Structures are given as structure tokens and as C-alpha cells.
Amino acid sequence: MELTVIQTYRLARDAHAGQADKIGVPYIEHVEAVAEGLAPFGKDLERAGLLHDIIEDTDWTAEALVKAGVPEHVVRIVEAVTNQPGVPYEEKIRRITKQRSAALVKVADNAHNSRPDRAAQLPEDKRQRLAEKYSKARELLWPAVGQLDVEMIVSIVNPALKRELADNVRTFWP
């Protein structure tokens, strides 16, 4: 039986129970925000958003997710955005851009991680380092998906990125 979005949320909530993100809030809030940004693209991407960090940050495996009822194609998206040991971040982003669904998940993840209210809670050196990392990732991710798709995600997850998007429209989508 295939898990519904609600059941997938419960799985993610339980898997990330007790975890906090880099600013100290319950980790489930991050995956909820990513999933919310992906909801307009359908239940499969919404489920992928809920699960996007589950393989790298919990004991869950791809095989266990499939056995639990997560559709295999959703698990493949999650695997595509999962960090692989020894793979540099930029290489990971380049790999993700080759699969549209994975790129959409990463756009939403990047947008949430780039929220000014979240960044403001980090030490200045970490804030600057992450801001540069996420900005460089957007240079690869945004052109990999449609402009309207990026606008949709940004408007839901991080409206502060609208200005950056407007400034770069001609660069990314000539």
C-alpha cells in the first residue's frame, strides 16, 4: 500500500524526532517547509520534500522506505538529493540538476535554508559561508528548472529571494 502525504509526514516526523536543525528548531519544521514549497507540483514531490533528508540524517534506507510504502520513484528522488560520502557539494548540485524532480526538491531546500530569519540566527562567519554556498548552488539549480517553477517555490518558501530572482532572470533564462 502506498503511503499518503499525511502518512509520509508522520514517517518523517517520527524519523526526525528529537533532531534540531542548524538554528536549533525541530528538524521537522525544515522538511515541512520544503514540502510546502513543493505541494503545487503534486503529492510525489511533496512526499519527496518531506523525506529529502531522511536517508542522510536518520537510520532509514531507501529499501526500508519502499517497504514502508513510499513509492519507489519518490525514493529515487530522495536518493538523488542525498549526500554521498566524498562527493563535493558542487558536484552533488550538478548531479541533481540532471533530474528535474530532484532539482525542484533542492530548489525548495535551498530556498528554506537561505531564509534571512534563519540565517540571522547563525554566527556571522557561518552565515556568510552558507550564504555564498547557497547562492552558488542557485546559479546551477535555478536554470535547471523553469522560471515559473522557481518563482512558485520562492514565493512560498522564501519570498526574500524574489529580488535575486528578478535580478537574474535574463541570466538564467535568456
Side-chain angles (χ1 to χ4, degrees):
M1 185 174 93
E2 186 175 290
L3 292 183
T4 65
V5 171
I6 297 295
Q7 291 168 323
T8 304
Y9 166 78
R10 290 180 186 136
L11 187 154
R13 180 197 62 204
D14 293 347
H16 291 292
Q19 293 180 339
D21 69 7
K22 63 181 140 266
I23 62 168
V25 299
Y27 202 84
I28 191 65
E29 292 182 22
H30 169 66
V31 298
E32 284 177 311
V34 171
E36 184 179 342
L38 296 166
F41 301 94
K43 66 181 181 178
D44 288 342
L45 280 177
E46 189 173 6
R47 288 186 286 206
L50 287 166
L51 300 173
H52 78 275
D53 282 333
I54 199 166
I55 294 173
E56 69 186 58
D57 291 340
T58 75
D59 292 334
W60 279 88
T61 64
E63 296 77 22
L65 289 170
V66 171
K67 285 181 184 174
V70 178
E72 192 167 333
H73 60 279
V74 172
V75 174
R76 297 301 156 247
I77 297 168
V78 174
E79 286 182 305
V81 299
T82 298
N83 286 331
Q84 297 172 352
V87 176
Y89 185 73
E90 186 174 335
E91 185 177 326
K92 170 190 171 180
I93 297 300
R94 288 188 189 284
R95 176 179 44 85
I96 288 170
T97 63
K98 292 176 173 42
Q99 183 184 346
R100 184 175 186 281
S101 294
L104 287 167
V105 171
K106 197 63 185 169
V107 166
D109 179 47
N110 178 289
H112 189 252
N113 283 331
S114 300
R115 286 182 59 100
D117 58 330
R118 292 172 52 79
Q121 297 179 53
L122 297 171
E124 181 63 26
D125 60 328
K126 188 171 188 175
R127 179 181 9 197
Q128 287 182 6
R129 183 180 56 76
L130 289 174
E132 184 177 323
K133 173 184 173 179
Y134 296 144
S135 178
K136 286 182 179 180
R138 285 191 294 277
E139 290 175 12
L140 299 171
L141 290 166
W142 285 3
V145 298
Q147 177 186 344
L148 295 177
D149 294 340
V150 174
E151 288 174 357
M152 174 74 72
I153 292 168
V154 164
S155 69
I156 296 168
V157 180
N158 185 352
L161 288 174
K162 285 182 177 181
R163 178 66 175 176
E164 180 181 333
L165 180 58
D167 290 346
N168 288 292
V169 166
R170 284 186 167 57
T171 303
F172 295 146
W173 302 281

